[in-house]
Amino acid sequence: MPLQKARLSIKRFLLWIRPFLRLLQKFRGSPQAIAGGFSLGLFLALTPTVGVQLIIAVFLATLFKLSRPATLLAVMVTNPLTVPPIFTFNYWVGSLFFDGPSVREVYGHLLGIAAEMAKMNIWEVGAQMRAFVDIGQDMLIPLVFGSLLMAVLVGAFSYVLLVRFLWFLKLHKERKRVRKSRDQSNN
């Protein structure tokens, strides 16, 4: 019974992310370029580079010849709604290695930053960056360490998973095309 529940949960999750996966599949480029771009975007989304994430994403995706649309899509994971939970979790991971204020205090501070960010124009890059830099060294060190650790883990995991999945879809599509042309030639 637990195995059936697990399979059902996986199936629900895949159905939930299906539109997103179809969108990724439509991007031009190899599975490696698309997966690499998406993973780079997730890496940047999980680091406290709020305000300059889009600029860094486009620059690095271009430099490494990765899919810019996939990178930009993943960078958008961090926004005023997701900043508090994502960076609180990253802070918690960093606080396992470095001392700092309580997680609850940091969460409250990040809620304030997110509220400020929601009021800002997307082009107010300096103000968005200042909001994070001004949090203080006692919060910044665990936040940066935890963010980098999570960014590396999530980026690497997402790359491996997505590149395999995109190759599977590409091969499946190719087999389908070959079968269809073979069926048409037999008729």
Side-chain angles (χ1 to χ4, degrees):
M1 200 66 148
L3 185 60
Q4 288 176 331
K5 284 187 178 182
R7 285 183 180 158
L8 187 60
S9 295
I10 291 171
K11 187 175 181 178
R12 283 184 186 149
F13 176 73
L14 290 174
L15 287 173
W16 182 70
I17 63 169
R18 178 191 251 169
F20 163 76
L21 293 173
R22 285 189 175 159
L23 176 65
L24 278 178
Q25 188 182 6
K26 291 179 183 178
F27 291 151
R28 284 189 320 207
S30 68
Q32 293 93 334
I34 296 168
F38 188 80
S39 299
L40 172 65
L42 275 181
F43 177 88
L44 292 170
L46 296 177
T47 60
T49 54
V50 175
V52 293
Q53 287 176 334
L54 293 174
I55 298 165
I56 295 170
V58 170
F59 174 75
L60 291 177
T62 304
L63 181 69
F64 295 122
K65 294 180 172 55
L66 301 173
S67 171
R68 287 186 297 264
T71 305
L72 293 174
L73 180 67
V75 161
M76 301 314 269
V77 165
T78 46
N79 57 59
L81 291 176
T82 61
V83 161
I86 289 173
F87 290 125
T88 299
F89 179 78
N90 290 352
Y91 174 82
W92 174 76
V93 170
S95 71
L96 298 174
F97 301 93
F98 296 96
D99 290 330
S102 72
V103 172
R104 181 172 289 188
E105 182 182 334
V106 171
Y107 181 70
H109 195 73
L110 289 170
L111 278 174
I113 290 173
E116 286 179 42
M117 286 173 54
K119 295 175 191 171
M120 291 180 195
N121 183 327
I122 193 169
W123 303 111
E124 293 181 69
V125 175
Q128 292 176 19
M129 283 182 54
R130 250 188 324 280
F132 268 93
V133 174
D134 290 345
I135 67 172
Q137 188 174 358
D138 57 336
M139 283 187 216
L140 196 60
I141 291 173
L143 176 63
V144 169
F145 182 80
S147 294
L148 288 174
L149 182 61
M150 291 309 301
V152 167
L153 292 174
V154 169
F157 181 72
S158 69
Y159 177 79
V160 170
L161 203 61
L162 196 54
V163 78
R164 286 177 182 230
F165 187 74
L166 290 171
W167 271 113
F168 169 79
L169 289 177
K170 188 175 184 173
L171 291 173
H172 180 72
K173 193 175 184 179
E174 183 63 25
R175 285 184 194 136
K176 207 173 181 179
R177 188 187 61 75
V178 168
R179 244 185 274 127
K180 188 177 180 179
S181 67
R182 189 175 43 217
D183 290 345
Q184 286 176 349
S185 66
N186 288 339
N187 291 334

